[in-house]
Amino acid sequence: DLSMTDLYLKIAAFAGRSDVRVVIVDSLSGANFARENSAAMIHVVKGLADIARDSGKPVILPHHLRKRGLMDSDKITLDRIRGSGAIVQPARVVWALDQPDPNSDTRRLSVIKNNIVGVRDIAPVGVTITDQGLSFGDAPEEPKTETLQDRVADLLLVLLRKGPMRSADLQEECEGAGLSWSAA
């Protein structure tokens, strides 16, 4: 049973080795004794930030998002990080990895905090994880769900591209396409 001091000393010793380029502590919830909603979490993350600073090596600390709320957008923000806001406070960079399209193996890697460069200046990137490693490309978007209004708008654009039509003819075309006239 390690105390937090013992754990930090072991991580710091590992980070200090010349053959180590990056330290990954997986995961935040499994690497400490503090509750993720407590204010004490700042000491846990600050200790790891000190190790990164002192060793000159990045410390990557995976953590989880809270469940998506009704009012949450598709974009992941710092508010979606599970637990105390103290978790991201000492971090220089916070990345979010999500899978916007469940039918694709490509994930979206987004920078949601960066103390050096503005977050708006960094576009998300697509990441695919295979047995051969990582490959990078365009970031995927969530698939668009076609609504009834989308279908009606598409039909009206096609029909009216040729020019004006009588409303009775439009109604007949809409109903022939399986769309109610009231939706148009």
Side-chain angles (χ1 to χ4, degrees):
D1 186 16
L2 292 173
S3 70
M4 284 308 294
T5 302
D6 292 337
L7 186 58
Y8 284 122
L9 290 173
K10 286 186 179 290
I11 294 170
F14 179 77
R17 291 178 22 187
S18 62
D19 62 331
V20 172
R21 292 189 176 151
V22 63
V23 177
I24 301 173
V25 180
D26 189 12
S27 71
L28 175 61
S29 59
N32 72 85
F33 306 110
R35 303 188 75 182
E36 64 186 21
N37 287 327
S38 76
M41 187 55 69
I42 187 76
H43 302 294
V44 172
V45 183
K46 178 82 172 78
L48 293 170
D50 290 346
I51 291 171
R53 181 200 62 223
D54 296 345
S55 69
K57 297 173 183 159
V59 174
I60 297 176
L61 183 62
H63 190 51
H64 299 278
L65 300 173
R66 65 173 169 73
K67 291 188 191 287
R68 188 170 163 180
L70 204 52
M71 301 304 287
D72 289 329
S73 72
D74 295 339
K75 185 178 179 185
I76 297 175
T77 63
L78 291 174
D79 294 336
R80 288 277 314 279
I81 304 293
R82 193 172 75 193
S84 169
I87 291 170
V88 296
Q89 190 270 329
R92 295 283 179 230
V93 177
V94 177
W95 294 328
L97 184 67
D98 68 332
Q99 185 178 13
D101 184 352
N103 298 318
S104 172
D105 290 334
T106 302
R107 309 295 197 260
R108 177 175 52 194
L109 181 63
S110 306
V111 175
I112 59 174
K113 177 185 175 184
N114 189 319
N115 288 353
I116 301 164
V117 177
V119 173
R120 287 185 216 118
D121 299 331
I122 303 170
V125 67
V127 178
T128 305
I129 305 166
T130 67
D131 292 339
Q132 290 75 38
L134 302 176
S135 62
F136 298 92
D138 292 334
E141 296 292 329
E142 287 205 31
K144 186 175 183 323
T145 305
E146 187 177 54
T147 65
L148 176 61
Q149 288 81 12
D150 292 333
R151 290 180 55 215
V152 168
D154 289 343
L155 178 63
L156 290 175
L157 284 171
V158 168
L159 292 174
L160 296 173
R161 190 173 293 145
K162 301 171 193 167
M165 288 182 71
R166 296 177 338 122
S167 63
D169 294 336
L170 281 174
Q171 181 175 355
E172 184 178 317
E173 290 286 344
C174 284
E175 290 171 354
L179 301 170
S180 71
W181 178 240
S182 61

